[in-house]
């Protein structure tokens, strides 16, 4: 089983968008996917309820914010969406339960600054120090050819963290949030998004 945490304490950074898209991609590739939502806003949970039944199955993984319940035995991919502001004990706790952490970061100066403390905290966590978990950054709503992307890279260099890929700004991510249908569920858009998502998908299935 692979266990993936999507986290960034900054609200609106793209955690739920990444979580539901990863879930649907793996589900389309015949994995048994469980999606958990630690956020009281229950974005992923409601998204899952809105998802049409004929699409590739994503199962609900029941995680309350008080206790962490392991994913069911038949699970092959567990994806955990997390709330803004996740830090301290709760962060440490979930880091012990996962293999990979995906951190969406927007290239806005405010967002980058808001993420600094989080990266420091991650770096000082035992699971990360002992290399039990891998951390990968996803530039969110950014194009790799832009100055904004260069700034994001320079910012991340100080933490020695890899930018796995960048996902560009698109209305289709907003639609996906409303409909329960991701860009991967739609064959027409599949190829177009593939080059942006592929490095992340490959990184997630690589063993440490
Ligand atoms: N690449 C993108 N292009 C366009 N819109 C996007 C993109 N990524 C995310 N969004 C939109 O930005 C908003 C915030 O994204 P999302 O809800 O995924 O962030 P979040 O980190 O989960 O927020 P919160 O901290 O509140 O849980 C949503 O409306 C989402 O549809
Ligand atoms: Mg969210």
């Amino acid at each position: 089983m692979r266990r993936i945490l999507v986290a960034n304490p900054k609200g609106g950074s793209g955690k739920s968008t990444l979580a539901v898209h990863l879930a649907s991609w793996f589900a389309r590739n015949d994995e048994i996917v469980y999606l958990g939502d630690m956020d009281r806003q229950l974005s992923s949970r409601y998204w899952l309820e809105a998802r049409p039944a004929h699409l590739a199955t994503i199962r609900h993984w029941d995680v309350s914010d008080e206790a962490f319940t392991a994913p069911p035995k038949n699970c092959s991919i567990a994806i955990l969406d997390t709330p803004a502001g996740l830090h301290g004990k709760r962060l440490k706790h979930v880091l012990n339960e996962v293999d990979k952490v995906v951190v969406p970061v927007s290239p806005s100066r405010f967002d980058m600054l808001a993420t600094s403390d989080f990266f420091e905290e991650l770096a000082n966590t035992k699971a990360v120090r002992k290399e039990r978990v891998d951390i990968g950054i996803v530039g969110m709503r950014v194009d790799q050819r832009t100055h904004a992307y260069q700034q994001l890279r320079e910012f991340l260099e100080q933490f020695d963290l890899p930018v796995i890929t960048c996902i560009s700004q698109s209305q289709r991510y907003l639609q996906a949030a409303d409909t329960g249908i991701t860009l991967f569920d739609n064959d027409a858009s599949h190829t177009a998004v593939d080059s942006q998502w592929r490095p992340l998908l490959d990184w997630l299935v690589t063993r440490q």
Side-chain angles (χ1 to χ4, degrees):
M1 186 200 309
R2 292 171 205 279
R3 300 160 305 170
I4 301 163
L5 181 75
V6 186
N8 181 333
K10 180 85 174 79
S13 53
K15 298 177 285 293
S16 301
T17 303
L18 273 182
V20 302
H21 277 80
L22 291 175
S24 102
W25 189 84
F26 283 115
R28 274 203 65 156
N29 284 277
D30 301 325
E31 300 283 0
I32 299 179
V33 178
Y34 280 83
L35 177 62
D37 192 351
M38 285 175 66
D39 193 351
R40 287 211 182 96
Q41 290 180 69
L42 296 178
S43 310
S44 299
R45 181 72 215 271
Y46 292 139
W47 179 87
L48 206 46
E49 282 173 12
R51 183 168 170 81
H54 68 276
L55 296 176
T57 306
I58 300 170
R59 295 160 172 86
H60 169 58
W61 171 18
D62 195 8
V63 284
S64 79
D65 60 357
E66 303 303 327
F68 190 90
T69 324
K73 288 239 158 50
N74 66 342
C75 172
S76 61
I77 303 276
I79 298 173
L80 194 52
D81 187 12
T82 60
L86 179 67
H87 73 286
K89 254 195 195 158
R90 276 178 76 204
L91 174 64
K92 272 201 189 81
H93 190 56
V94 286
L95 284 172
N96 283 326
E97 307 292 336
V98 298
D99 313 298
K100 304 262 183 185
V101 182
V102 181
V103 185
V105 183
S106 137
S108 124
R109 175 70 36 198
F110 292 144
D111 284 28
M112 288 192 266
L113 289 174
T115 320
S116 295
D117 288 351
F118 178 65
F119 288 139
E120 299 279 1
E121 194 179 350
L122 277 183
N124 291 320
T125 306
K126 203 169 165 190
V128 176
R129 283 204 319 268
K130 303 249 169 199
E131 298 181 359
R132 284 200 299 266
V133 293
D134 261 353
I135 300 165
I137 312 298
V138 173
M140 203 57 171
R141 294 178 213 159
V142 59
D143 194 310
Q144 290 202 346
R145 292 160 302 189
T146 59
H147 179 61
Y149 173 67
Q150 277 315 319
Q151 285 187 318
L152 181 62
R153 283 201 76 114
E154 279 162 27
F155 165 74
L156 290 167
E157 262 165 24
Q158 61 184 304
F159 304 104
D160 201 18
L161 290 168
V163 181
I164 308 294
T165 194
C166 287
I167 308 292
S168 56
Q169 169 107 17
S170 165
Q171 283 295 320
R172 291 182 300 170
Y173 292 108
L174 287 163
Q175 285 159 14
D178 284 341
T179 56
I181 305 170
T182 73
L183 276 63
F184 296 126
D185 292 314
N186 177 345
D187 282 322
S189 62
H190 200 286
T191 335
V193 292
D194 201 60
S195 60
Q196 289 179 19
W197 285 84
R198 175 61 49 194
L200 176 62
L201 301 167
D202 289 346
W203 179 78
L204 286 171
V205 297
T206 315
R207 291 263 173 229
Q208 278 167 264

